[in-house]
Amino acid sequence: MRNLHVGAAQLGAIQKNDSRASVVARMLALLEQARTRGCELVVFPELALTTFFPRWYMPDPAEVDTWFERDMPNAATQPLFDFSREQGIALSFGYAELTPEGRHFNTSILTDRQGNIVGKYRKVHLPGHVEYDTERDFQHLEKRYFEPGDLGFPTFANEGAIMGMCICNDRRWPETYRVMGLRGVELITLGYNTPSINSQRRTEGQQQRLFHSQLVMQAGAYQNATWVVGVAKAGVEDGFPLMGGSVIIDPNGFICAQAAGEGDELIDHVCDMDECNFGKTTIFDFARHRRIEHYGPITAQTGVER
Ligand code: CDV
């Protein structure tokens, strides 16, 4: 057995005017709960430090940059890293990254149990649009504010497991899981901010959105024999509802723990990394069963060609 006690720390709504310090205080309260339950790794959502700012159209780049972190850790987030080191809890959380070269990414990081950053991921599949869209019920401007990630889907040996990360919309794409699967991934952390309603189709509400979210994460877990920890930022942010539904999924695709509400909430599960072994050595033994001679279109084209 290679047990790792994992916590999924769902965050409730963060309003536009909430400070980084107030959010970090909420994250520390969840980490304290995680400590009392014995968690060794705690996963927080996408863009965990702020409201989901890509719903706001901002023509002024200086205003946009106020939502970004230039350093990690920084003064606001240092208490999270201190807690990690003092209590021996590894962390993963998402934030908006502004590099020294002025590049903007939707990023997540992974630490070890000493609070050292051991992995970084930058969101590859950016949803939404670049310009203000009058056809939508609300805006989703990730393509305006971020570049597509340039790090691919790396995996990291951390705390006795092979770990990888992806972010929100990435979870809907099978390529995300498979690339990490081909790198031996045993545990994928992913945070999300998913509106409860489809901005382009009002009839698609929370029930269907939750179904799709769990469908893709459960399939990704099973088809790659990996644990998946999906963590929401939920609740109503300045009038815009985000769904909850944070889950811990085992390598057979079954949900082991699920959040009940839409507020700050910790769920946890003791994940045995050796549970990945059966799938990885039988039906999803990639080396024996994959037929790459037929997969060319996956990397050769984006759209449909007949
Ligand atoms: N933050 C996201 O990536 N949200 C998308 C929405 C726009 C569909 C998601 O996949 O949940």
Side-chain angles (χ1 to χ4, degrees):
M1 286 213 293
R2 284 183 294 137
N3 283 347
L4 188 71
H5 193 152
V6 177
Q10 178 173 288
L11 285 171
I14 300 172
Q15 310 304 337
K16 225 177 165 182
N17 289 328
D18 290 349
S19 65
R20 307 283 207 280
S22 71
V23 178
V24 167
R26 286 166 55 185
M27 294 169 77
L28 287 169
L30 286 162
L31 281 172
E32 178 54 23
Q33 276 186 49
R35 186 191 66 75
T36 62
R37 292 194 208 174
C39 293
E40 299 164 296
L41 165 69
V42 175
V43 183
F44 290 96
E46 173 189 35
L47 299 176
L49 305 172
T50 64
T51 194
F52 188 72
F53 65 85
R55 72 168 65 88
W56 303 109
Y57 179 78
M58 292 174 275
D60 176 6
E63 184 187 352
V64 175
D65 284 355
T66 63
W67 297 103
F68 283 74
E69 315 300 319
R70 288 180 161 77
D71 304 293
M72 193 55 65
N74 55 28
T77 56
Q78 187 61 48
L80 299 170
F81 292 83
D82 294 343
F83 192 98
S84 168
R85 192 185 61 255
E86 287 158 16
Q87 304 302 333
I89 299 178
L91 305 175
S92 180
F93 66 87
Y95 64 98
E97 177 191 9
L98 178 52
T99 73
E101 300 76 33
R103 302 178 71 189
H104 298 75
F105 296 103
N106 187 341
T107 295
S108 64
I109 48 133
L110 176 68
T111 78
D112 62 16
R113 294 179 66 184
Q114 284 73 49
N116 303 304
I117 294 177
V118 296
K120 179 182 275 193
Y121 169 72
R122 292 170 172 160
K123 186 173 183 176
V124 166
H125 299 100
L126 297 174
H129 47 109
V130 176
E131 299 301 338
Y132 193 92
D133 183 350
T134 53
E135 300 294 309
R136 293 181 182 241
D137 285 348
F138 49 89
Q139 303 299 297
H140 194 107
L141 291 151
E142 283 194 62
K143 279 184 158 58
R144 181 179 183 87
Y145 301 136
F146 301 114
E147 287 181 48
D150 61 349
L151 301 175
F153 296 100
T155 57
F156 310 93
N158 190 30
E159 304 299 345
I162 310 294
M163 300 186 187
M165 293 174 274
C166 66
I167 301 179
C168 197
N169 189 255
D170 286 320
R171 77 194 187 286
R172 304 183 192 276
W173 299 86
E175 296 86 348
T176 297
Y177 304 89
R178 183 49 51 88
V179 173
M180 286 190 270
L182 286 166
R183 293 182 169 142
V185 77
E186 296 172 316
L187 185 139
I188 295 174
T189 69
L190 76 92
Y192 58 89
N193 286 254
T194 299
S196 307
I197 301 161
N198 189 327
S199 64
Q200 295 171 292
R201 189 160 71 169
R202 284 175 205 186
T203 51
E204 186 184 313
Q206 171 136 308
Q207 208 180 353
Q208 188 174 331
R209 308 281 271 177
L210 276 169
F211 170 73
H212 284 155
S213 180
Q214 292 181 353
L215 180 72
V216 291
M217 290 192 286
Q218 290 180 260
Y222 168 65
Q223 291 172 340
N224 296 279
T226 179
W227 291 90
V228 170
V229 184
V231 189
K233 176 135 69 61
V236 182
E237 292 192 337
D238 292 306
F240 297 91
L242 297 169
M243 67 178 212
S246 300
V247 279
I248 299 175
I249 300 168
D250 77 13
N252 275 308
F254 290 107
I255 292 175
C256 301
Q258 184 167 355
E262 293 186 346
D264 293 2
E265 180 178 345
L266 180 78
I267 58 171
D268 64 306
H269 187 77
V270 178
C271 303
D272 179 2
M273 297 305 135
D274 280 341
E275 280 186 40
C276 302
N277 298 346
F278 182 74
K280 287 187 191 300
T281 55
T282 57
I283 193 157
F284 296 119
D285 180 346
F286 295 155
R288 276 196 293 149
H289 305 309
R290 292 183 79 244
R291 304 300 330 182
I292 56 173
E293 66 272 31
H294 298 298
Y295 302 159
I298 288 178
T299 53
Q301 67 192 63
T302 50
V304 174
E305 288 172 32
R306 299 194 66 207

